[in-house]
Amino acid sequence: MASSGAGDLDGAALILSLPEDVLALISAHLRPRDFLALSAASRRLRDALSAADKAWLAQCRRLLPSPPHLLAWRAAAGGSALAVCRFLHSAAPLLGALWAHQNPELGNLVAAVPGFLSIVAARAIPQELSPRLRWAPVFELLADAQGRPAVLFLHGHQPGELFPARLSSLQPHANVLFLEAQIAAAASSHQLFPRLAFSDRRRLLDSLVAACRVTLPPDLVGAPLLARSDEDLPVLAARREAMLRLHREAAGGMVRALEIEGLLLEAKKKAAPPSPTNGGERILLRRSLSAVAGYVRNGLRQMMTRSVSANSRTQQYVDTKHLPLSDFLHAGESVGLSLRGARMRLSTYRAWPSMHDNRFALYKLTVQTPVPGREYAGLWGGTFGWPPGRPEDECRPRKALFFLLLSYEEDSEGKPLLIATKVLEGTHYVVHPNGSSMFVARMGEPSTEAFPWQNVDVERVFPGDGIANGYGFRYPGSKPGSLFVLQDGQLAFVWKETGAVLTLQRLNLEELMKKGERVPALQPVPNFAYLTKSYSNVFTGFPGSSASPR
């Protein structure tokens, strides 16, 4: 058939003639980048597809499979489903991901879940099993008017206080989130900040937090962060508008470099020891300071050595000469907080990445998707003891809540192993370090081991080994046991020698947080990644927030 015009040459006429419902159906089977490429094929397609609201809604549903309030998101974005899709596509590396840091050993698990046209990163608090999961916000990433993920806030301890920041970059396959300081109009800020000494980085971030704090209006301080029902949508929309206004008025949290230098100098004067009254005291003070400086220097050298040995391929952080803080501040007129999502080569041990002890960073945990033959992959929660603990039980003592990340690996013979890695522990004082393998089950070797208790329906049994030593062993020993798959969907690992049992059920962390209880966070910089070594529950002091030591 002969061509009837230039419009037919690029196929645009055929696509433009389709009803919007048919175009939405086609869009539902295309990846976002393919649909964007289609819209870029010609000017007519770009203009037509930009207004194809149903087609972009179909793309949003691909990016967010269960969006209960997607239409409310579109209304908050000025009625543009394209803006919502742009935000979801750009923020995809965060959505549904689990992030962690090694310290404290008790648990530092952060989940990134959908908020209201935003991503809310929240930390699960080490706790006892209860009807409501306790969590604390870490940061929020909001879409701007065009749908770009450009509006960022850190959360801190005081209600209603927010700390504006910027998202400097977010790589598509980011596995590390860095909290850094960004110099305005300096493209190399992300290369300069890691070259600062650890003490300078900490002082700079603390000063930025002190200088950029903003406060929500009083009527929005108690507003929810997650939509629990349709009744929350109006207050969530009002809260979002207030946050966008605060971020705009604070210039994205950027502060003049001269002001930061003044704050650093003031903090240094407050921390300085009183001047001695005679020469002898001056000599003693000088010797004491020299000893302290040597101790700190050796400690930092050890931390850097551990960091480099843990991830020897991460050469961007191996620099023997630190950049003076004054040189960093003089690189631009203003400086602010920033979040950077980067892709790095990380060494791992049984799904747990090796982490730096001197970087304000969160590391992404690899969460395997359940598929046939690997049905038990994913996040599970459970307690020790039989019968298993139930959230509604009010009996005392309550049981410590454990979060385990179950993943599959292969042994030296190619047979499947199921690894249960501990990512959160609800005891008051840590018993097992983060990253410990609570048990390893050999899934290619069915067992005939009987369950120790009667009247329990068991589907399958696999032999394995469970953790045997308390804290003090980075890679603890193990004792034989068995993994029982129960008919009600639960898993139970039983240590053969002691009869101890760990029962697990699959978790939906997003739903648990919606129904859970928000508690105050730490101060903003430690709240992002708690770098101080701690074996006790540092995140909350609320009654019932942690279990008694086992």
Side-chain angles (χ1 to χ4, degrees), residues 442 445-451 458-463 482-485:
R442 299 185 290 276
E445 305 175 17
S447 173
T448 58
E449 187 76 18
F451 196 70
V458 177
E459 287 187 352
R460 307 171 70 184
V461 187
F462 302 95
S482 298
L483 177 66
F484 295 86
V485 181

Side-chain angles (χ1 to χ4, degrees), residues 297-316:
R297 185 165 54 251
N298 291 335
L300 289 176
R301 185 181 297 114
Q302 291 175 3
M303 286 192 293
M304 290 299 295
T305 303
R306 289 197 301 270
S307 300
V308 174
S309 63
N311 286 297
S312 57
R313 299 177 183 178
T314 312
Q315 295 298 327
Q316 59 175 310

